[in-house]
Amino acid sequence: MSVFDAMFGVLFADPNMASDATYTAPGPGGASTPCRAVFRQPDTDWRGNDAEVTTPSRIAEVRVSEVPVMKEAGTLAIGGKTYTIQKASRPDADRLLWRLELR
């Protein structure tokens, strides 16, 4: 286990930082996997042609060790709400986290 694995373990175990969640694979009979997720709702600014628009976004991060295969169009349930995964990527250098764009 690397130092980063240990750090993420502490972060995702903290009830102030992460929440219980459930990933469900897309399609009929998709398997459900319990996991922990860090959930954020930052604003996204769009600029162009002298116009500026701010829209809310929904981002969740889930450890790859908890959900090894994450598919777009699957769902992530957090705090009584269910979101559809629009984009799933692993942007960190060690590929330890899924970054999910939700709608």
Side-chain angles (χ1 to χ4, degrees), residues 57-89:
S57 62
R58 292 173 186 90
I59 306 292
E61 293 178 327
V62 176
R63 293 190 300 175
V64 172
S65 63
E66 292 184 289
V67 183
V69 177
M70 184 77 67
K71 296 195 179 198
E72 294 171 6
T75 61
L76 190 69
I78 304 171
K81 293 186 179 180
T82 301
Y83 303 95
T84 301
I85 298 168
Q86 185 172 339
K87 181 179 178 185
S89 60

Side-chain angles (χ1 to χ4, degrees), residues 11-83:
L11 174 75
F12 279 83
D14 186 332
N16 298 303
M17 298 294 294
S19 302
D20 290 331
T22 302
Y23 165 71
T24 303
S32 294
T33 306
C35 58
R36 300 274 297 161
V38 174
F39 182 68
R40 300 177 281 136
Q41 297 186 76
D43 287 340
T44 301
D45 295 326
W46 304 88
R47 294 184 182 102
N49 297 334
D50 297 326
E52 184 175 325
V53 177
T54 300
T55 60
S57 62
R58 292 173 186 90
I59 306 292
E61 293 178 327
V62 176
R63 293 190 300 175
V64 172
S65 63
E66 292 184 289
V67 183
V69 177
M70 184 77 67
K71 296 195 179 198
E72 294 171 6
T75 61
L76 190 69
I78 304 171
K81 293 186 179 180
T82 301
Y83 303 95

